[in-house]
Amino acid sequence: MSVLRAVLFDMDGVLLKSEEAWAHVVAAAGVHFRGSPVTREEFAPTFGQGTQADTEVFRLGCSPEALDRFYTEHFPRYAQHVWVNPDARPLLETLGRRGLRRAVVTNTASTLAPALLGAGHLAELFECIACANLVPRSKPAPDLVLYALEKLGVAASEAVMVGDSRYDRGAAAAAGVRFVGLGLDGDVRIEQLGALLAHLPPWDSNAQ
């Protein structure tokens, strides 16, 4: 592997956890668009799949754009359910001091992701926030990972991606990026985000 220059992170489940908040807002979307709430049984196996898939899997009968607008309008009322990983900020600050570039790669729309990261005081620590509505296909397609690599100016061989779902692992594999699984098998597996530093390949100590 080339010298490490960048670390890409999934947002939800890695830097923060908003599944409980999303369960509420997706249930409300079901009521609004199809006349009945999306149940926990429907929601649980699909969390993190992206807005396009939400419209199809939950048979909402609306466009992804309309659903994104609904999510943006209604998510803030459930923001109290969002948990921020206490390991995230110290880790990101350390990576920055080492000259490594940092990106978020998330299936959340750009109307919501910066606000979520900002609430956790994390947004300013990233050089790139790659969101699903900025590319043709969300994870597990490679589009978001490739978008982030281009924005950071690094090659796939110079990056690693940290994620906690099969969508993350699939996107990293499709883009040719080494994958670190948080509670998930990958090229490397870690159980806590703070353990990442011990598993990173060599980085360029002269990077700017």
Side-chain angles (χ1 to χ4, degrees), residues 81-137:
H81 297 292
V82 177
W83 172 84
V84 179
N85 192 327
D87 289 343
R89 187 174 183 90
L91 172 63
L92 291 165
E93 289 175 337
T94 298
L95 295 176
R97 287 194 296 270
R98 293 182 177 183
L100 295 171
R101 310 208 75 191
R102 301 149 297 179
V104 172
V105 178
T106 177
N107 278 350
T108 302
S110 59
T111 51
L112 280 175
L116 281 167
L117 292 166
H121 306 289
L122 302 177
E124 70 273 16
L125 299 175
F126 292 98
E127 287 76 30
C128 173
I129 300 176
C131 299
N133 60 302
L134 302 177
V135 297
R137 300 173 298 171

Side-chain angles (χ1 to χ4, degrees), residues 19-27 34 37-47 58 81:
E19 184 170 359
E20 182 63 22
W22 278 111
H24 286 286
V25 75
V26 171
R34 74 180 192 186
V38 174
T39 67
R40 293 287 179 137
E41 290 74 17
E42 290 177 285
F43 171 77
T46 66
F47 178 60
F58 303 138
H81 297 292

Side-chain angles (χ1 to χ4, degrees), residues 34 42 45-46 49-60:
R34 74 180 192 186
E42 290 177 285
T46 66
Q49 67 184 355
T51 306
Q52 175 71 50
D54 282 356
T55 62
E56 298 167 357
V57 172
F58 303 138
R59 302 180 301 280
L60 297 179

